[in-house]
Tab-separated table of all heavy atoms in Angstrom:
chain	number	residue	atom	x	y	z
A	1	ALA	N	-23.256	46.397	8.727
A	1	ALA	CA	-24.439	47.056	8.163
A	1	ALA	C	-24.203	48.545	7.960
A	1	ALA	O	-24.822	49.170	7.088
A	1	ALA	CB	-25.638	46.834	9.074
A	2	GLY	N	-23.326	49.127	8.766
A	2	GLY	CA	-23.032	50.550	8.635
A	2	GLY	C	-24.103	51.451	9.207
A	2	GLY	O	-24.114	52.658	8.938
A	3	THR	N	-25.002	50.887	9.993
A	3	THR	CA	-26.074	51.676	10.593
A	3	THR	C	-26.514	51.022	11.884
A	3	THR	O	-26.287	49.822	12.101
A	3	THR	CB	-27.271	51.814	9.630
A	3	THR	OG1	-28.246	52.695	10.205
A	3	THR	CG2	-27.912	50.466	9.357
A	4	VAL	N	-27.133	51.813	12.744
A	4	VAL	CA	-27.681	51.315	14.000
A	4	VAL	C	-28.981	52.062	14.261
A	4	VAL	O	-29.101	53.253	13.961
A	4	VAL	CB	-26.680	51.507	15.177
A	4	VAL	CG1	-26.322	52.967	15.375
A	4	VAL	CG2	-27.224	50.901	16.466
A	5	THR	N	-29.978	51.361	14.792
A	5	THR	CA	-31.258	51.977	15.123
A	5	THR	C	-31.319	52.191	16.624
A	5	THR	O	-31.195	51.243	17.403
A	5	THR	CB	-32.436	51.099	14.673
A	5	THR	OG1	-32.349	50.889	13.261
A	5	THR	CG2	-33.766	51.766	14.991
A	6	ILE	N	-31.502	53.436	17.010
A	6	ILE	CA	-31.443	53.807	18.423
A	6	ILE	C	-32.762	54.447	18.843
A	6	ILE	O	-33.240	55.384	18.205
A	6	ILE	CB	-30.289	54.781	18.696
A	6	ILE	CG1	-28.948	54.138	18.297
A	6	ILE	CG2	-30.267	55.211	20.161
A	6	ILE	CD1	-27.754	55.072	18.403
A	7	GLY	N	-33.326	53.950	19.938
A	7	GLY	CA	-34.530	54.536	20.492
A	7	GLY	C	-34.181	55.629	21.481
A	7	GLY	O	-33.309	55.460	22.332
A	8	THR	N	-34.848	56.764	21.361
A	8	THR	CA	-34.663	57.860	22.310
A	8	THR	C	-35.971	58.616	22.422
A	8	THR	O	-36.917	58.369	21.669
A	8	THR	CB	-33.509	58.788	21.885
A	8	THR	OG1	-33.120	59.602	22.992
A	8	THR	CG2	-33.898	59.662	20.702
A	9	LYS	N	-36.037	59.539	23.342
A	9	LYS	CA	-37.247	60.338	23.503
A	9	LYS	C	-37.145	61.610	22.671
A	9	LYS	O	-36.064	62.103	22.398
A	9	LYS	CB	-37.490	60.648	24.978
A	9	LYS	CG	-37.888	59.409	25.768
A	9	LYS	CD	-38.332	59.731	27.170
A	9	LYS	CE	-38.819	58.463	27.867
A	9	LYS	NZ	-39.261	58.740	29.261
A	10	PHE	N	-38.308	62.113	22.290
A	10	PHE	CA	-38.364	63.311	21.464
A	10	PHE	C	-38.933	64.510	22.222
A	10	PHE	O	-39.128	65.573	21.627
A	10	PHE	CB	-39.238	63.059	20.224
A	10	PHE	CG	-38.578	62.242	19.137
A	10	PHE	CD1	-37.333	61.665	19.311
A	10	PHE	CD2	-39.225	62.052	17.920
A	10	PHE	CE1	-36.737	60.915	18.308
A	10	PHE	CE2	-38.639	61.301	16.907
A	10	PHE	CZ	-37.391	60.737	17.100
A	11	ASP	N	-39.228	64.346	23.531
A	11	ASP	CA	-39.877	65.437	24.257
A	11	ASP	C	-39.207	65.724	25.595
A	11	ASP	O	-39.833	66.265	26.496
A	11	ASP	CB	-41.364	65.125	24.474
A	11	ASP	CG	-41.587	64.075	25.556
A	11	ASP	OD1	-40.762	63.135	25.643
A	11	ASP	OD2	-42.574	64.192	26.308
A	12	GLN	N	-37.918	65.393	25.721
A	12	GLN	CA	-37.201	65.575	26.975
A	12	GLN	C	-36.107	66.632	26.811
A	12	GLN	O	-34.983	66.304	26.387
A	12	GLN	CB	-36.549	64.263	27.415
A	12	GLN	CG	-37.488	63.077	27.380
A	12	GLN	CD	-38.363	62.980	28.597
A	12	GLN	OE1	-37.973	62.425	29.594
A	12	GLN	NE2	-39.547	63.537	28.513
A	13	PRO	N	-36.389	67.905	27.111
A	13	PRO	CA	-35.372	68.947	26.949
A	13	PRO	C	-34.086	68.594	27.684
A	13	PRO	O	-34.102	68.209	28.852
A	13	PRO	CB	-36.042	70.181	27.566
A	13	PRO	CG	-37.506	69.921	27.426
A	13	PRO	CD	-37.663	68.437	27.617
A	14	GLY	N	-32.966	68.715	26.980
A	14	GLY	CA	-31.666	68.441	27.568
A	14	GLY	C	-31.210	67.009	27.437
A	14	GLY	O	-30.022	66.724	27.517
A	15	PHE	N	-32.137	66.075	27.227
A	15	PHE	CA	-31.775	64.664	27.145
A	15	PHE	C	-32.151	64.047	25.800
A	15	PHE	O	-31.327	63.366	25.187
A	15	PHE	CB	-32.409	63.879	28.301
A	15	PHE	CG	-31.558	63.882	29.534
A	15	PHE	CD1	-31.418	65.029	30.294
A	15	PHE	CD2	-30.863	62.754	29.926
A	15	PHE	CE1	-30.610	65.061	31.427
A	15	PHE	CE2	-30.055	62.762	31.051
A	15	PHE	CZ	-29.923	63.917	31.801
A	16	GLY	N	-33.361	64.260	25.354
A	16	GLY	CA	-33.774	63.748	24.053
A	16	GLY	C	-34.939	64.563	23.541
A	16	GLY	O	-36.085	64.340	23.938
A	17	LEU	N	-34.648	65.524	22.693
A	17	LEU	CA	-35.671	66.455	22.219
A	17	LEU	C	-35.542	66.642	20.710
A	17	LEU	O	-34.452	66.882	20.199
A	17	LEU	CB	-35.515	67.806	22.919
A	17	LEU	CG	-36.547	68.883	22.570
A	17	LEU	CD1	-37.927	68.480	23.063
A	17	LEU	CD2	-36.145	70.226	23.196
A	18	LEU	N	-36.662	66.517	20.005
A	18	LEU	CA	-36.647	66.707	18.560
A	18	LEU	C	-36.569	68.193	18.240
A	18	LEU	O	-37.451	68.970	18.622
A	18	LEU	CB	-37.905	66.101	17.934
A	18	LEU	CG	-37.894	66.007	16.409
A	18	LEU	CD1	-36.896	64.955	15.938
A	18	LEU	CD2	-39.286	65.681	15.873
A	19	ASN	N	-35.489	68.589	17.583
A	19	ASN	CA	-35.336	69.979	17.171
A	19	ASN	C	-36.325	70.261	16.043
A	19	ASN	O	-36.269	69.618	14.996
A	19	ASN	CB	-33.897	70.226	16.694
A	19	ASN	CG	-33.621	71.683	16.396
A	19	ASN	OD1	-34.389	72.354	15.719
A	19	ASN	ND2	-32.496	72.170	16.891
A	20	PRO	N	-37.242	71.216	16.221
A	20	PRO	CA	-38.267	71.452	15.199
A	20	PRO	C	-37.723	72.004	13.894
A	20	PRO	O	-38.363	71.887	12.857
A	20	PRO	CB	-39.218	72.440	15.879
A	20	PRO	CG	-38.361	73.149	16.877
A	20	PRO	CD	-37.380	72.117	17.371
A	21	ARG	N	-36.534	72.582	13.947
A	21	ARG	CA	-35.949	73.143	12.727
A	21	ARG	C	-35.181	72.099	11.925
A	21	ARG	O	-35.293	72.029	10.712
A	21	ARG	CB	-35.040	74.321	13.075
A	21	ARG	CG	-35.782	75.531	13.618
A	21	ARG	CD	-34.832	76.672	13.904
A	21	ARG	NE	-33.858	76.303	14.930
A	21	ARG	CZ	-32.797	77.034	15.243
A	21	ARG	NH1	-32.544	78.155	14.579
A	21	ARG	NH2	-31.973	76.649	16.198
A	22	THR	N	-34.399	71.283	12.631
A	22	THR	CA	-33.586	70.290	11.930
A	22	THR	C	-34.260	68.934	11.832
A	22	THR	O	-33.830	68.092	11.057
A	22	THR	CB	-32.242	70.089	12.667
A	22	THR	OG1	-32.492	69.515	13.954
A	22	THR	CG2	-31.515	71.415	12.835
A	23	GLN	N	-35.327	68.727	12.652
A	23	GLN	CA	-36.003	67.433	12.725
A	23	GLN	C	-35.051	66.316	13.144
A	23	GLN	O	-35.182	65.171	12.722
A	23	GLN	CB	-36.679	67.096	11.386
A	23	GLN	CG	-37.885	67.968	11.080
A	23	GLN	CD	-38.991	67.812	12.117
A	23	GLN	OE1	-39.585	66.749	12.260
A	23	GLN	NE2	-39.262	68.885	12.849
A	24	GLU	N	-34.082	66.663	13.992
A	24	GLU	CA	-33.154	65.689	14.549
A	24	GLU	C	-33.217	65.754	16.074
A	24	GLU	O	-33.346	66.834	16.649
A	24	GLU	CB	-31.720	65.982	14.085
A	24	GLU	CG	-31.527	65.851	12.579
A	24	GLU	CD	-30.110	66.178	12.151
A	24	GLU	OE1	-29.316	66.575	13.044
A	24	GLU	OE2	-29.795	66.060	10.963
A	25	PRO	N	-33.098	64.610	16.747
A	25	PRO	CA	-33.115	64.632	18.213
A	25	PRO	C	-31.797	65.154	18.759
A	25	PRO	O	-30.739	64.937	18.179
A	25	PRO	CB	-33.335	63.161	18.588
A	25	PRO	CG	-32.742	62.403	17.441
A	25	PRO	CD	-32.985	63.237	16.222
A	26	GLU	N	-31.875	65.846	19.895
A	26	GLU	CA	-30.697	66.425	20.532
A	26	GLU	C	-30.793	66.207	22.032
A	26	GLU	O	-31.889	66.142	22.593
A	26	GLU	CB	-30.612	67.936	20.249
A	26	GLU	CG	-30.458	68.277	18.779
A	26	GLU	CD	-30.556	69.770	18.516
A	26	GLU	OE1	-31.111	70.482	19.379
A	26	GLU	OE2	-30.091	70.220	17.465
A	27	GLY	N	-29.651	66.108	22.689
A	27	GLY	CA	-29.648	65.988	24.136
A	27	GLY	C	-28.580	65.033	24.628
A	27	GLY	O	-27.837	64.424	23.844
A	28	PHE	N	-28.492	64.902	25.931
A	28	PHE	CA	-27.456	64.089	26.558
A	28	PHE	C	-27.604	62.618	26.191
A	28	PHE	O	-26.614	61.953	25.854
A	28	PHE	CB	-27.511	64.278	28.070
A	28	PHE	CG	-26.353	63.659	28.809
A	28	PHE	CD1	-25.043	64.004	28.512
A	28	PHE	CD2	-26.574	62.736	29.817
A	28	PHE	CE1	-23.968	63.447	29.205
A	28	PHE	CE2	-25.516	62.170	30.519
A	28	PHE	CZ	-24.217	62.524	30.208
A	29	ASP	N	-28.827	62.083	26.256
A	29	ASP	CA	-29.036	60.692	25.837
A	29	ASP	C	-28.560	60.481	24.408
A	29	ASP	O	-27.926	59.470	24.087
A	29	ASP	CB	-30.526	60.327	25.907
A	29	ASP	CG	-31.021	60.130	27.326
A	29	ASP	OD1	-30.195	59.929	28.234
A	29	ASP	OD2	-32.248	60.180	27.521
A	30	VAL	N	-28.900	61.424	23.548
A	30	VAL	CA	-28.549	61.332	22.130
A	30	VAL	C	-27.026	61.316	21.963
A	30	VAL	O	-26.479	60.507	21.192
A	30	VAL	CB	-29.170	62.502	21.345
A	30	VAL	CG1	-28.679	62.520	19.898
A	30	VAL	CG2	-30.696	62.412	21.386
A	31	GLU	N	-26.332	62.185	22.685
A	31	GLU	CA	-24.881	62.252	22.559
A	31	GLU	C	-24.209	60.989	23.103
A	31	GLU	O	-23.217	60.515	22.541
A	31	GLU	CB	-24.347	63.487	23.291
A	31	GLU	CG	-24.747	64.804	22.647
A	31	GLU	CD	-24.307	64.896	21.196
A	31	GLU	OE1	-23.105	64.694	20.930
A	31	GLU	OE2	-25.171	65.148	20.332
A	32	ILE	N	-24.740	60.438	24.189
A	32	ILE	CA	-24.184	59.193	24.721
A	32	ILE	C	-24.366	58.070	23.702
A	32	ILE	O	-23.447	57.263	23.458
A	32	ILE	CB	-24.858	58.829	26.056
A	32	ILE	CG1	-24.503	59.861	27.131
A	32	ILE	CG2	-24.463	57.423	26.499
A	32	ILE	CD1	-23.024	59.967	27.444
A	33	ALA	N	-25.534	58.019	23.080
A	33	ALA	CA	-25.780	56.997	22.063
A	33	ALA	C	-24.845	57.179	20.864
A	33	ALA	O	-24.373	56.196	20.272
A	33	ALA	CB	-27.238	57.053	21.614
A	34	LYS	N	-24.560	58.411	20.505
A	34	LYS	CA	-23.634	58.671	19.395
A	34	LYS	C	-22.233	58.167	19.717
A	34	LYS	O	-21.518	57.691	18.821
A	34	LYS	CB	-23.589	60.171	19.083
A	34	LYS	CG	-24.811	60.712	18.360
A	34	LYS	CD	-24.630	62.205	18.113
A	34	LYS	CE	-25.832	62.820	17.422
A	34	LYS	NZ	-25.662	64.289	17.225
A	35	LEU	N	-21.828	58.274	20.990
A	35	LEU	CA	-20.515	57.766	21.377
A	35	LEU	C	-20.436	56.256	21.173
A	35	LEU	O	-19.410	55.737	20.719
A	35	LEU	CB	-20.236	58.099	22.846
A	35	LEU	CG	-20.016	59.580	23.196
A	35	LEU	CD1	-19.884	59.743	24.702
A	35	LEU	CD2	-18.774	60.125	22.497
A	36	VAL	N	-21.516	55.550	21.491
A	36	VAL	CA	-21.555	54.109	21.283
A	36	VAL	C	-21.496	53.789	19.792
A	36	VAL	O	-20.740	52.918	19.353
A	36	VAL	CB	-22.816	53.493	21.918
A	36	VAL	CG1	-22.911	52.008	21.605
A	36	VAL	CG2	-22.812	53.721	23.428
A	37	ALA	N	-22.291	54.512	19.003
A	37	ALA	CA	-22.294	54.288	17.557
A	37	ALA	C	-20.909	54.535	16.971
A	37	ALA	O	-20.444	53.780	16.107
A	37	ALA	CB	-23.326	55.199	16.894
A	38	ALA	N	-20.250	55.600	17.434
A	38	ALA	CA	-18.923	55.927	16.908
A	38	ALA	C	-17.940	54.797	17.154
A	38	ALA	O	-17.106	54.476	16.292
A	38	ALA	CB	-18.416	57.223	17.534
């Protein structure tokens, strides 16, 4: 499929937080999920 849908939090600083400027989630959870996707 070339895509994966990942659930994360948008209000957890450092782990899963929606960046208000980029509108993308950032944090440790997000990076761990990216490693799996990669």
Side-chain angles (χ1 to χ4, degrees):
T3 185
V4 59
T5 301
I6 301 174
T8 196
K9 290 189 176 180
F10 283 6
D11 75 323
Q12 311 278 274
F15 273 72
L17 182 66
L18 191 70
N19 186 312
R21 292 182 298 170
T22 65
Q23 290 298 295
E24 296 179 356
E26 297 173 340
F28 189 57
D29 286 342
V30 173
E31 292 303 306
I32 294 299
K34 286 180 181 178
L35 291 175
V36 175

